[in-house]
Amino acid sequence: MRHAFAFGDDGVPEAVVASYDQYDDLGGEDTLGKYRTVVAPEVLGRQLPEMVEAIRRGTFGPPVLVGSGTDPLLVVMSTQQYRTMRGDDEPPPGVIDDPTARTYDSSPPPGSTPFSVDEWAKDDPFTQQMLEEIRQERARGDG
């Protein structure tokens, strides 16, 4: 499995299945908690309805690892857990929460105005110093 996918009732994602490799690469155990056992696919098949109900109730525990023996291959988690593990922000109101297919509109809100990096850093002496160092490096051709 190359990409995580979300599933749920009525087209609203409630849970995510991801590869264990992605879970491990993103530090899932550090972020979401350690697992106790690896469940076999047939066990997942029997327990999945209960897992989804626990996700809906907000009582779902750490992600469930699926595989053979002690070797996990897949991970089942809530959409919130997946988003937390990836460090994603919340979707805007009215947007279906599918963290596996992020297509949130990132346009500036009406009335916003652009600003320069100098305006952004004007009240922060440390950032001003860093900007000055970067500009000096560029002027010397170091960066």
Side-chain angles (χ1 to χ4, degrees):
M1 182 172 88
R2 295 185 137 192
H3 301 286
F5 68 91
F7 62 94
D9 285 343
D10 300 321
V12 177
E14 298 176 282
V16 172
V17 175
S19 71
Y20 181 78
D21 288 341
Q22 182 184 33
Y23 179 78
D24 190 44
D25 289 347
L26 293 172
E29 282 190 20
D30 295 333
T31 307
L32 302 175
K34 302 235 186 250
Y35 64 93
R36 290 182 208 86
T37 60
V38 177
V39 301
E42 57 273 9
V43 173
L44 174 68
R46 289 192 305 270
Q47 294 180 352
L48 193 57
E50 295 168 23
M51 290 179 195
V52 172
E53 283 303 317
I55 289 170
R56 290 176 182 154
R57 287 190 310 270
T59 59
F60 188 68
V64 175
L65 299 162
V66 183
S68 61
T70 58
D71 296 327
L73 299 172
L74 301 174
V75 183
V76 178
M77 64 192 93
S78 70
T79 54
Q80 179 62 47
Q81 287 172 318
Y82 186 71
R83 189 174 43 252
T84 297
M85 180 180 73
R86 287 182 30 154
D88 291 343
D89 56 351
E90 297 288 329
V95 173
I96 292 179
D97 180 17
D98 185 349
T100 64
R102 294 193 52 180
T103 57
Y104 309 155
D105 181 10
S106 60
S107 304
S112 64
T113 58
F115 57 89
S116 71
V117 70
D118 291 311
E119 290 172 301
W120 174 70
K122 72 178 177 153
D123 295 323
D124 183 1
F126 176 77
T127 303
Q128 290 174 1
Q129 178 185 347
M130 296 303 295
L131 286 172
E132 184 58 32
E133 289 175 16
I134 290 169
R135 288 179 176 131
Q136 288 175 7
E137 287 176 12
R138 285 186 176 168
R140 289 191 309 262
D142 295 346

